Amino acid sequence: MSPRAGGPATDRPPLYLRRPLLAGFLRQWPLLLVIVVAGVGMLLVAGDRWRQGLVVMGLALVTAAALRLLLPLRRTGFLAVRSLRVDVALTGTAGVALVAMALSIPPS
């Protein structure tokens, strides 16, 4: 075996061939993070804590906008749907609007 540049050679195939599901999750970690945070918000809404749940879901959208803005295109995965400006503007505005509406409703 001849060593590769930067490290010893291995006969192991790449991760996407050995464990395609794990490789897919690692490739899509920004979207997975947003989905998990939004899921926590939905669980709060289902548990009759709708205000906190909507705030968490709005923060998930703001997080999606921030990740889309800060990460390079090859790392954003399925968060990149449209152009950078449109993605950030739409998801960020929707997140801020959701948080603002949830907090503006007076408690009963």
Side-chain angles (χ1 to χ4, degrees):
M1 287 195 249
S2 64
R4 286 181 169 177
T10 61
D11 290 331
R12 294 174 56 179
L15 182 64
Y16 71 90
L17 291 176
R18 287 183 285 132
R19 299 215 166 114
L21 186 63
L22 176 63
F25 280 135
L26 292 176
R27 230 181 356 259
Q28 298 297 332
W29 73 265
L31 180 63
L32 185 62
L33 173 70
V34 171
I35 289 172
V36 167
V37 173
V40 169
M42 285 191 239
L43 287 174
L44 286 169
V45 170
D48 207 23
R49 298 180 67 174
W50 63 269
R51 185 183 315 272
Q52 293 91 347
L54 290 178
V55 169
V56 170
M57 285 190 275
L59 292 177
L61 287 172
V62 171
T63 301
L67 288 172
R68 177 68 173 104
L69 182 65
L70 298 175
L71 292 175
L73 183 60
R74 64 185 182 90
R75 297 280 186 209
T76 56
F78 288 132
L79 283 181
V81 178
R82 296 160 295 267
S83 71
L84 176 67
R85 289 180 184 172
V86 172
D87 279 342
V88 171
L90 289 178
T91 54
T93 302
V96 169
L98 187 59
V99 170
M101 284 190 286
L103 294 178
S104 69
I105 299 172
S108 52

